[in-house]
Amino acid sequence: MSNSTKRNISVTGNIEFSDLKVTDPKNYAAGIPGVKAALEHVSKESGLFRSLKTLSRMNQKEGFDCPGCAWPDPDTPSKLGEYCENGAKAIAEEATFERVDKAFFKKYSVEEISTWTDYQIGKSGRITEPFILKPDSIHYEPISWPEAFQLIAEQLHTLDSPDEAIFYTSGRSSNEAAFLYGLFVRAFGTNNMPDCSNMCHESSGVALSETLGIGKGSVVLEDLHEAEVVMVIGQNPGTNHPRMLTALQKCKERGGKIITVNPLSESGLNRFKNPQQLSGILGKGTQLTDIFLQVKINQDVSLLKLLMKRLAKREKDEESVFDHDFIKEKTNGFQELLKDLEKYDEDQLLELCGVDSTQIDEAVDLLAKKSKIIICWAMGLTQHKNGVENIKECMNLLLAKGSIGKKGAGTCPVRGHSNVQGDRSVGIMHHVSEPLNKAIKETFGFNPPNKEGLDTVNAIQAMHQGRAKVFIALGGNFVSAASDTAYTAEALENCDLTVSVSTKLNRTHLTVGKTALILPTLGRTEQDKDRFVTVENSMGKVHQSKGRMKPASDKLKSEPEIVAEMANAYFGESSNIDWMTLGSDYDLVREKISEVLRGYEDYSGRSKGSGFYLPNNARDADFSKLPGGRAQFSICGLPEHNLAEDEFVLMTVRSHDQFNTTIYGMNDRYRGIYGERRVIFMNPDDIKEKGLKPLQIVDLISNYSGKQRKAENFKIIPYNIPSKNLCAYFPETNMLVPIDLYADKSNTPVSKSVIVKIEVR
């Protein structure tokens, strides 16, 4: 009898409706409503005074780094507080008074908890001690730390091959924990290290590496202040990276212009009311977007080609708009790009992208005259079949304008989790790096595996097919974050053992293997025996983070301790690595990182205060490692969806009361949605044409590779979105994203362009 049969687990939770209220979308972000919402949330979760004291230390030089997004801190943080509404909510979630303890699991079975919504599960509270879910049981029960580590070691020893284990990493882990984790996994003998980058920014890493020679962005925070033009493409900073709005505000105050490219007009890019300024409290705030190009879902390449065609035409007819000195000295392939652009008809590109021609000309007028241009993007570009080419087309524009390697210009992929970039920098990756392997051998005395490991998609498929039997997650909510929810749940349930290193309860703790462990860890805000860890922000700066709060339980361990004790239990006395010392001495870990990786010299010392930037060749306009020693222009094709009459393109998004898969509340204040998440945003004309009605209840259906997937019970919301496009929240609609459809080269799931049909209930 299979594990899924023995445990009656729901992968969706409750899909009944709560009280839905719909208002007009807001025309600005933050301001007094943002302050009010943050204070209400922290007061309810963890007490006002306690939370304010904690928030005063967030993103400060001697404090802790926000566990939310990876937006960088200014060198001189605001004395009023360097945090946003979402950051306050993240802290409240971590500092909550609620506890998931022995009594909780005795009262609630995993079967019952699985019927709750993700919001209800998340509100259960902090996990207080290690728990085990034994085979044939539906209740977690306590287990001692030594017993838990011994169980993991025994299970790993039973595997026929190290490649039968999967070691996942989320973006919340520190550099120290991630480095130790990667070291343990390689010493164990596999490169099966999928991480959350595989599901979000892997397309950025591939595209940037192939065009500029580094898989990271090239700008620093001050560049945004000095930019003449900032293009924000496929990103909603008002909800996902609210502190970015302050940087955009400074850009506008210094005369810069902002072009926004997105299928939805988002409040945060319309107007920003900075709550730390009088104008943001009493005045109208700052109008951010100067030109809004409302592109159809996944037609960014069409739009960018049209912009470049018109720029090329203007140069031919009137003036020099491209940086020919930069192109000649630093790049390859520009003439081939121009020749390829000639193949495309402007009217066809206009129809595909859906943007008005006069708005295109406004953007061209602006871009033609400026060279200090920054392009910022997020999942709206990366999570498509052509995600890599989406970013490469952006690089074509920047390279043509010479907008790389100079102040106020460059690339800005905005990372969605606080240390996802740092994890990758210190070695969390399924790819093989010969220089890294060589350095590890020289420092630690063993040969790391030279066989490429499994990324997230391939890891899920391996578990589903029985080729992988152990799954260990260093943070994250894997089942809710991944594509094809039901398939992913089945994959985890096929495992003999699943292990989650977590702070709070989530749905991944319910869709588990025959045996499951939850290992509770310290949160970012909590004291760690006066030790500090380090993280890397979205712009490549490494700095310290030191928690100050009393831990939620005296039975919690830090992530480095957990990884080290896991490794020690597996290797025992056979290892020449002193895992236990590394797990307790973070300075020693940083010393070892500096021996293995370039750019981390005097690691502990330089990480204090404002921290230090890692080397970045694109920032220096050094492309010597690329073919011919030059940055590369790319020839990109147009995306193909070929929609039938009754089909739509769906993109998944976050609500404003959400960070990744963590649901803070049931409201999406900026879009005018209150009390409910099971909604589908739809063009009003499409609603009428299809004979549907506002608030009508429908199901969403996707069909890929002969398999039908259904997301049930959604209410239609008329919204300003292009025709034939739909928008809904994740993780509620992740089940529609097929496991076997992903971006070329990066394997990133197509969460932002899923073809669906609407079925009336």
Side-chain angles (χ1 to χ4, degrees):
M1 187 176 291
S2 71
N3 185 51
S4 58
T5 302
K6 288 184 288 188
R7 298 184 187 128
N8 185 22
I9 301 298
S10 169
V11 298
T12 62
N14 182 16
I15 62 172
E16 299 302 317
F17 292 112
S18 54
D19 296 328
L20 171 63
K21 177 184 175 183
V22 182
T23 68
D24 291 335
K26 299 293 184 289
N27 59 10
Y28 70 90
I32 292 298
V35 175
K36 181 174 180 289
L39 292 179
E40 288 177 348
H41 194 90
V42 300
S43 297
K44 180 180 178 181
E45 292 287 333
S46 54
L48 182 59
F49 176 76
R50 179 168 172 258
S51 296
L52 289 177
K53 184 179 179 181
T54 304
L55 287 168
S56 69
R57 297 167 175 162
M58 185 159 73
N59 298 326
Q60 302 295 323
K61 291 182 179 180
E62 300 302 320
F64 61 91
D65 194 64
C66 178
C69 79
W71 189 253
D73 309 324
D75 287 340
T76 304
S78 169
K79 294 181 180 179
L80 294 177
E82 193 60 50
Y83 57 87
C84 65
E85 177 185 339
N86 271 11
K89 291 175 179 177
I91 293 307
E93 291 284 308
E94 196 165 279
T96 179
F97 292 126
E98 299 298 324
R99 297 290 183 264
V100 173
D101 53 17
K102 179 180 178 180
F104 176 91
F105 279 128
K106 186 175 182 180
K107 182 178 181 180
Y108 300 112
S109 71
V110 291
E111 292 182 341
E112 180 177 355
I113 300 170
S114 76
T115 65
W116 301 352
T117 64
D118 289 83
Y119 171 65
Q120 291 170 308
I121 294 171
K123 291 301 180 185
S124 299
R126 291 291 300 277
I127 303 164
T128 59
E129 61 183 305
F131 287 98
I132 182 172
L133 184 64
K134 297 178 180 178
D136 301 319
S137 176
I138 58 173
H139 286 271
Y140 275 102
E141 56 190 77
I143 184 175
S144 71
W145 281 106
E147 289 174 321
F149 293 130
Q150 187 59 35
L151 176 61
I152 296 170
E154 290 174 355
Q155 192 65 54
L156 291 176
H157 276 297
T158 65
L159 299 178
D160 293 331
S161 163
D163 291 332
E164 291 183 342
I166 306 294
F167 297 87
Y168 174 75
T169 314
S170 84
R172 70 170 298 279
S173 301
S174 66
N175 285 350
E176 291 76 9
F179 179 79
L180 279 181
Y181 196 53
L183 185 66
F184 166 49
V185 176
R186 290 183 174 92
F188 174 68
T190 185
N191 283 311
N192 286 351
M193 285 182 280
D195 70 332
C196 56
S197 284
N198 298 152
M199 295 185 274
C200 53
H201 260 294
E202 196 72 43
S203 296
S204 299
V206 172
L208 291 171
S209 295
E210 292 184 356
T211 55
L212 304 181
I214 185 171
K216 302 180 181 182
S218 66
V219 302
V220 299
L221 184 59
E222 291 73 21
D223 286 322
L224 280 161
H225 304 163
E226 299 182 22
E228 296 173 314
V229 179
V230 176
M231 295 184 70
V232 182
I233 306 182
Q235 186 196 1
N236 177 18
T239 285
N240 301 332
H241 318 92
R243 289 192 299 137
M244 180 179 171
L245 300 183
T246 302
L248 296 176
Q249 180 189 29
K250 289 183 179 180
C251 175
K252 291 299 298 286
E253 290 172 348
R254 297 184 182 189
K257 301 293 184 181
I258 296 174
I259 299 173
T260 298
V261 181
N262 204 51
L264 301 180
S265 175
E266 302 286 15
S267 303
L269 285 169
N270 289 334
R271 185 176 295 277
F272 172 48
K273 291 190 176 184
N274 191 333
Q276 297 198 9
Q277 296 178 350
L278 187 62
S279 62
I281 297 174
L282 301 178
K284 294 182 179 180
T286 303
Q287 181 72 36
L288 293 182
T289 295
D290 295 283
I291 301 173
F292 174 46
L293 305 179
Q294 190 172 20
V295 68
K296 293 180 180 179
I297 292 174
N298 195 27
Q299 289 298 340
D300 305 276
V301 170
S302 305
L303 173 61
L304 290 163
K305 285 186 183 297
L306 186 53
L307 290 172
M308 286 187 286
K309 276 184 70 73
R310 292 194 177 179
L311 283 169
K313 182 179 180 181
R314 181 165 302 195
E315 174 163 283
K316 185 176 180 181
D317 293 345
E318 304 173 16
E319 55 187 303
S320 177
V321 300
F322 297 130
D323 188 336
H324 291 283
D325 289 339
F326 178 88
I327 292 169
K328 181 178 180 180
E329 295 173 9
K330 297 287 186 178
T331 72
N332 273 335
F334 182 60
Q335 292 304 318
E336 289 82 355
L337 175 71
L338 293 179
K339 185 176 180 180
D340 182 70
L341 286 174
E342 293 176 358
K343 300 177 183 177
Y344 295 96
D345 177 73
E346 285 198 21
D347 291 337
Q348 178 199 19
L349 294 175
L350 270 174
E351 183 179 355
L352 286 171
C353 73
V355 181
D356 184 84
S357 183
T358 58
Q359 292 177 301
I360 301 289
D361 284 335
E362 288 178 23
V364 170
D365 287 341
L366 185 56
L367 293 168
K369 302 171 185 176
K370 308 297 183 182
S371 64
K372 295 167 69 173
I373 302 168
I374 292 174
I375 297 182
C376 304
W377 71 90
M379 306 302 96
L381 285 191
T382 63
Q383 293 180 322
H384 301 280
K385 184 75 166 62
N386 66 328
V388 172
E389 291 198 334
N390 280 338
I391 286 90
K392 285 187 173 182
E393 202 70 78
C394 291
M395 296 310 99
N396 285 340
L397 177 58
L398 289 177
L399 290 172
K401 294 295 298 180
S403 299
I404 297 287
K406 65 172 64 172
K407 289 185 177 180
T411 59
C412 185
V414 184
R415 309 290 178 167
H417 214 158
S418 60
N419 197 41
V420 61
Q421 187 160 290
D423 288 353
R424 184 60 63 89
S425 294
V426 299
I428 295 296
M429 56 184 167
H430 63 282
H431 302 294
V432 176
S433 167
E434 292 300 337
L436 177 60
N437 280 5
K438 181 180 178 182
I440 288 175
K441 181 180 179 181
E442 292 173 352
T443 302
F444 294 101
F446 71 89
N447 287 307
N450 57 14
K451 173 187 174 183
E452 181 163 312
L454 301 177
D455 61 14
T456 296
V457 167
N458 285 302
I460 294 170
Q461 292 173 329
M463 290 187 288
H464 200 277
Q465 296 164 10
R467 293 184 287 110
K469 301 173 182 178
V470 173
F471 174 82
I472 300 176
L474 188 64
N477 180 4
F478 188 78
V479 75
S480 293
S483 59
D484 214 337
T485 311
Y487 184 95
T488 299
E490 291 171 357
L492 291 172
E493 290 169 343
N494 280 345
C495 292
D496 292 328
L497 174 68
T498 53
V499 181
S500 290
V501 179
S502 305
T503 56
K504 296 187 66 183
L505 195 66
N506 63 54
R507 193 166 294 280
T508 302
H509 302 138
L510 312 173
T511 52
V512 294
K514 296 177 179 64
T515 301
L517 289 171
I518 303 176
L519 306 182
T521 188
L522 294 170
R524 188 73 61 82
T525 62
E526 293 172 319
Q527 295 172 353
D528 185 6
K529 301 176 184 177
D530 203 38
R531 300 175 291 201
F532 71 86
V533 295
T534 56
V535 295
E536 179 185 342
N537 68 31
S538 196
M539 295 179 180
K541 177 180 272 192
V542 178
H543 61 92
Q544 74 168 8
S545 176
K546 188 173 184 178
R548 302 287 183 175
M549 289 183 62
K550 181 181 178 181
S553 166
D554 59 5
K555 294 184 179 180
L556 306 183
K557 289 182 179 289
S558 72
E559 286 186 329
E561 288 173 331
I562 292 172
V563 173
E565 293 197 45
M566 214 175 349
N568 186 67
Y570 178 79
F571 289 107
E573 297 180 357
S574 66
S575 177
N576 61 354
I577 299 174
D578 187 349
W579 295 103
M580 297 301 287
T581 299
L582 285 171
S584 61
D585 188 345
Y586 301 172
D587 281 328
L588 179 59
V589 177
R590 289 186 282 270
E591 180 182 316
K592 295 301 181 182
I593 292 174
S594 68
E595 292 178 25
V596 171
L597 299 167
R598 186 174 70 92
Y600 290 88
E601 298 78 13
D602 186 23
Y603 192 170
S604 289
R606 288 197 298 151
S607 60
K608 297 176 182 178
S610 295
F612 62 95
Y613 282 103
L614 292 173
N616 189 303
N617 65 280
R619 189 174 295 154
D620 300 329
D622 173 13
F623 310 113
S624 56
K625 293 184 179 180
L626 288 166
R630 296 166 178 265
Q632 306 293 306
F633 283 96
S634 307
I635 305 301
C636 305
L638 296 177
E640 295 183 6
H641 293 297
N642 301 318
L643 297 179
E645 181 65 26
D646 59 346
E647 291 180 332
F648 298 82
V649 180
L650 168 75
M651 66 175 181
T652 66
V653 298
R654 297 179 190 169
S655 75
H656 189 64
D657 252 357
Q658 175 180 1
F659 178 73
N660 291 345
T661 59
T662 302
I663 313 300
Y664 299 137
M666 298 296 288
N667 299 334
D668 192 356
R669 188 172 75 249
Y670 291 164
R671 297 189 182 108
I673 305 298
Y674 296 86
E676 183 54 67
R677 292 179 53 82
R678 304 192 73 81
V679 296
I680 182 78
F681 298 98
M682 189 173 182
N683 181 286
D685 291 337
D686 287 346
I687 295 173
K688 184 177 180 181
E689 181 184 335
K690 300 301 179 184
L692 302 171
K693 297 179 181 179
L695 302 184
Q696 187 169 357
I697 301 174
V698 298
D699 297 337
L700 302 173
I701 298 172
S702 67
N703 288 284
Y704 288 93
S705 303
K707 180 179 179 180
Q708 183 181 95
R709 298 165 176 85
K710 180 182 289 189
E712 299 179 311
N713 245 30
F714 287 81
K715 289 188 176 181
I716 295 175
I717 305 296
Y719 208 79
N720 180 14
I721 185 171
S723 178
K724 300 289 281 186
N725 288 179
L726 302 173
C727 170
Y729 303 128
F730 74 83
E732 287 83 355
T733 49
N734 277 7
M735 63 178 56
L736 297 169
V737 185
I739 190 67
D740 53 357
L741 187 64
Y742 34 77
D744 296 330
K745 293 189 175 183
S746 73
N747 281 14
T748 300
V750 296
S751 301
K752 293 292 186 289
S753 53
V754 185
I755 297 177
V756 300
K757 295 182 180 181
I758 296 175
E759 183 178 89
V760 176
R761 292 181 67 86

